[in-house]
Amino acid sequence: MLALRGGLVALPLLGLGAGFAAQGLGHPEAAALAWSLATLAVLAVLLVQVATSLARGDVGLDLVALLSMGGALALSQPLAGAVIALMYAGGQSLEAYAAGRAGRAMTALIARQPRTALREETGAEGVRVHEVPLSALAPGDRILVRAGDVLPVDGRVAAGRAVLDLSSLTGESLPASFAAGTAVLSGSLNVGQAFTLLAERRAEESTYAGIVRLVEAARAAKAPMARLADRYGLVFLVVTLVLAGGAWAAAGDPLRALAVLVVATPCPLILAVPVALVSGLSRAARRGILVKGGGALETLAKVEILVVDKTGTLTHGRARLKSVAALPPFGEEEALHLAASLDQASAHPIARALVEAAKARGLRLASPSAVTEVPGDGVIGLVEGRRVSAGGPRLMRAQGIAFPSQQTGGDPAGRDAAATILVAVDGRPAAILSFADPLRRDGAAILAALRECGIARIVLATGDRRAVAEALTAGLPIDAVAADLDPADKTQVVVAERLRGAVMMVGDGINDAPALAAADLGVALGARGAAAAAEAADVVLLVDSLAPLPEAIRIARKARTIALQSVLAGLGLSLAGMVAAALGALTPVQGALVQEAIDVAVILNAMRALSGPGADQGADTGPPAA
C-alpha cells in the first residue's frame, strides 16, 4: 500500500506535463483530455480505496478527495481536477515517505533476522559445518558464528571469545566482549573473530524471535489517538459537506462548493497522528525500548503512578555476601573457607553467591566429600576431614546445634538481609553469613529522573520481608512500600493505585505477569526476563536496567504532544482555507495549492517526533548482564 501511494504521484505529474505542453502548442482540447485522464487515473485508485474502507465500515476522509475530483470533472474543470489529483497523490506520497522513514528502525529489526545457521556436525570424517534452516536448530547444537553474522539463537560462547554489537537489542553503541561459557543473546552482531555458539533455545523461543513478534504486533496495532482521529474525521467530513453545500446555495455557484472540498483534501487528521506516533515508536526502538503499538505509546505519555517490583528491577536479582559474623573460636576466613568449599557441591543461588564471594577474597577452596543436600534446608559434608553444615535454623536444630539466640533472631546487621546462612563445624556454631540483593548503582538516579518526567507517586511492591524492603529503599524517592506480597497481592496493589491515576507497573518475573496485565501500562525489564512478563507487558526494555524508562516517557510525551499540535494547527488552517473558499476568495486550483502547503507543514511537524537529544545515538545502558 505504501508503494502504491508513493507511485501514485507520477500519474497526475505526467498528465499535467502533457496538458501544459498541448496547451502551449495551441491544442486546448488535447490539454483538457490529458488533465482529465490524469484525474481519472487517480480517481480510479481512490475509488477502490474508498470502496474497501466502506466495506470495512470505515467512513474515511478520502471520501472528500473523491467528491472533489469527481466534482472537478463534472463541472468541466479538468485543470483543477488534475491539480487536485496531484495534491492528493502528493499528500499520500509524503505520508508514505514519512511513515517509511519513521518505521525504518523497526523494519531493520525484522529484516536482519537470520534465516539459516552453520551447524557443526561430527561424523566419520570429523567435524564438518553444514548450513541449515533456523527451524532445524535444537538446544545443544554447536553453531559456527562468523565475523559479520547475526547470532541465530540464544546460547553460550562454547569456544573462543565473542565480541558482539548489541546496538539492535539494547541501543548500546559500544561492542561488548564475552568469554567462553558466557550467555549471549540472539540478534547480536559478531564484530570480532569467528566463535562457536552452544544453542540453549530453539530459534522460535529465542530473544530475537520474540522481539520480532513484538515489533510486528506493534506495527499492526492502531492507537486510540488514531481511532479518535477517525471519529473527529467524521465530524470534519460533515462540516466540510455542510460548508460546501451552504456556499453553493448562497452563491449559486457550484465552483464555490468544489473549492471548499479541495481545501479539505487531504485532511491533517489522517496524516499527522499516524506519522507522529510511528515516529515515536521508531525512536523508542532505536533506544532499546519496544513499545507494543501506538496505544501503549499514548498510555506511556499519560502515566502518573509507578508501581515497581524490587528483585531484578531495582536490584540485580542476585544475592551477594553482605557480612560474615564469625563465632569463637573460629575466624572469619576459616569459617568462610569451609562453608564455601562445601557449597561448591550445591547449585542453589545462595551457594553460588557464597562461592563467588570466597573466590573474590582470594581463598583457595578445597574439594568437599560425602555431601548431602537437604532441599530447602542446606548442605552437610566433609571438608578437609571436618564435618561442615551450612543452611538454615531447621538444619541446625535437626543436628542439635544451638546458635546464640540473639544472633539468629535479632542481630541488627541481619534484619535487612535477604537471606541468612548458619555455618557449623564439627557440631559447633562457626559463623552467621548474611546475604543481600543490593540496589543497582543507578537506582536512585533513575527514580529521580522518573520524578522529573512527571511520575507523581512511586510504590515498591515486593514479595520480600518489609524490613528488607524498607532498608533497601531508605533515602530513595519512594512514597509507599508494600511487602510480603504474592502475585495476587501485587495485582491488588496495582488495582488500588489505579484509583489515584494512570498506573505503570514494572517487573521482570513470571510472578509479575498478573500485575503487569492489571496496570494501565505494563513494562517488562530485560531481554532475558520471563516470557510471561514480556507477553503481559505493553513495553519491553531490552536491557536489564530501568535506565531507558525516563527516556521512554519523554519520547512518548513528545510524540503525543506533536500529534495534538499537528492536528489542531492543521485543522485550524484547513477550516480557515475552507471559509475563504466558501466566500469566493480561493479558486479550486488555489485551494489545492493552499491545502498542500498545509499538509507538508503538518507532516514535517509530526516527524519532529523522530528527533531529539541523542535520538540517533545508542542509549547509555550497557550490555545486558550475562
Side-chain angles (χ1 to χ4, degrees), residues 310 415-416 460 462-473 480-485:
K310 179 185 77 69
R415 280 204 304 265
D416 60 351
L460 177 69
T462 178
D464 272 349
R465 292 176 288 117
R466 176 167 292 278
V468 175
E470 290 181 345
L472 180 81
T473 58
V481 174
D484 300 303
L485 305 178

Side-chain angles (χ1 to χ4, degrees), residues 214 290 292 296 491 503 505-525 529-540:
L214 294 178
L290 266 185
K292 296 182 184 178
T491 304
V503 173
M505 167 70 193
V506 182
D508 73 329
I510 293 175
N511 62 322
D512 297 322
L516 291 170
D520 295 285
L521 185 87
V523 180
L525 183 67
E535 289 294 328
D538 304 291
V539 178
V540 178

Side-chain angles (χ1 to χ4, degrees), residues 159-441:
R161 174 171 288 275
V163 180
L164 304 178
D165 178 356
L166 306 173
S167 58
S168 64
L169 299 177
T170 66
E172 171 59 44
S173 58
L174 296 177
S177 180
F178 297 86
T182 307
V184 289
L185 297 177
S186 57
S188 307
L189 176 67
N190 182 16
V191 294
Q193 299 297 316
F195 69 94
T196 301
L197 172 71
L198 180 65
E200 291 189 327
R201 295 185 188 178
R202 294 187 179 276
E204 64 270 18
E205 299 168 350
S206 289
T207 298
Y208 201 68
I211 291 171
V212 168
R213 286 194 295 271
L214 294 178
V215 169
E216 289 173 338
R219 299 176 99 184
K222 191 171 187 181
M225 185 178 285
R227 291 193 289 269
L228 186 64
D230 291 341
R231 292 197 293 272
Y232 283 155
L234 290 176
V235 175
F236 187 79
L237 175 61
V238 171
V239 170
T240 299
L241 295 177
V242 169
L243 193 56
W248 188 351
D253 183 1
L255 289 180
R256 294 274 185 98
L258 178 60
V260 172
L261 293 174
V262 167
V263 174
T265 308
C267 172
L269 272 172
I270 62 176
L271 299 177
V273 173
V275 169
L277 294 183
V278 172
S279 296
L281 292 173
S282 176
R283 184 178 170 201
R286 290 204 304 268
R287 304 288 285 176
I289 307 157
L290 266 185
V291 183
K292 296 182 184 178
L297 191 76
E298 282 190 62
T299 305
L300 181 59
K302 296 184 288 186
V303 290
E304 304 168 294
I305 300 168
L306 169 65
V307 177
V308 60
D309 175 51
K310 179 185 77 69
T311 305
T313 306
L314 284 180
T315 68
H316 292 277
R318 297 189 300 273
R320 296 180 182 178
L321 182 63
K322 177 186 175 186
S323 64
V324 179
L327 304 176
F330 299 95
E332 182 176 313
E333 285 203 0
E334 179 187 12
L336 185 58
H337 163 75
L338 293 171
S341 295
L342 174 66
D343 269 353
Q344 291 178 105
S346 174
H348 193 280
I350 296 293
R352 291 200 300 267
L354 175 56
V355 172
E356 289 175 4
K359 289 181 176 178
R361 296 191 183 194
L363 300 181
R364 297 179 64 85
L365 304 184
S367 297
S369 61
V371 176
T372 300
E373 184 161 7
V374 183
D377 287 341
V379 186
I380 304 170
L382 297 177
V383 178
E384 298 176 338
R386 309 181 76 176
R387 184 176 176 81
V388 182
S389 303
R394 189 161 51 188
L395 181 70
M396 299 303 161
R397 286 195 299 268
Q399 299 177 85
I401 304 172
F403 275 71
S405 58
Q406 69 271 20
Q407 288 177 295
T408 58
D411 183 5
R415 280 204 304 265
D416 60 351
T420 300
I421 299 298
L422 307 179
V423 181
V425 179
D426 295 329
R428 300 177 63 182
I432 299 173
L433 310 180
S434 295
F435 293 81
D437 183 10
L439 182 73
R440 293 174 184 264
R441 283 180 297 179

Side-chain angles (χ1 to χ4, degrees), residues 427-603:
R428 300 177 63 182
I432 299 173
L433 310 180
S434 295
F435 293 81
D437 183 10
L439 182 73
R440 293 174 184 264
R441 283 180 297 179
D442 57 358
I446 292 171
L447 292 178
L450 288 168
R451 288 284 199 198
E452 293 175 1
C453 289
I455 300 298
R457 178 173 169 83
I458 300 176
V459 178
L460 177 69
T462 178
D464 272 349
R465 292 176 288 117
R466 176 167 292 278
V468 175
E470 290 181 345
L472 180 81
T473 58
L476 296 180
I478 291 179
D479 300 286
V481 174
D484 300 303
L485 305 178
D486 61 20
D489 295 332
K490 280 189 182 182
T491 304
Q492 288 305 312
V493 169
V494 170
V495 171
E497 291 297 330
R498 289 185 68 181
L499 299 176
R500 301 173 181 264
V503 173
M504 172 172 61
M505 167 70 193
V506 182
D508 73 329
I510 293 175
N511 62 322
D512 297 322
L516 291 170
D520 295 285
L521 185 87
V523 180
L525 183 67
R528 296 184 67 87
E535 289 294 328
D538 304 291
V539 178
V540 178
L541 306 180
L542 299 182
V543 290
D544 291 317
S545 169
L546 287 175
L549 195 53
E551 177 72 0
I553 294 174
R554 287 191 288 267
I555 290 171
R557 290 186 173 169
K558 180 177 181 179
R560 186 173 185 272
T561 298
I562 287 174
L564 289 173
Q565 287 174 349
S566 299
V567 166
L568 294 176
L571 282 181
L573 292 171
S574 292
L575 287 171
M578 289 160 63
V579 170
L583 296 174
L586 293 174
T587 66
V589 173
Q590 292 170 337
L593 295 173
V594 167
Q595 184 57 46
E596 182 65 6
I598 294 172
D599 293 335
V600 169
V602 162
I603 289 178

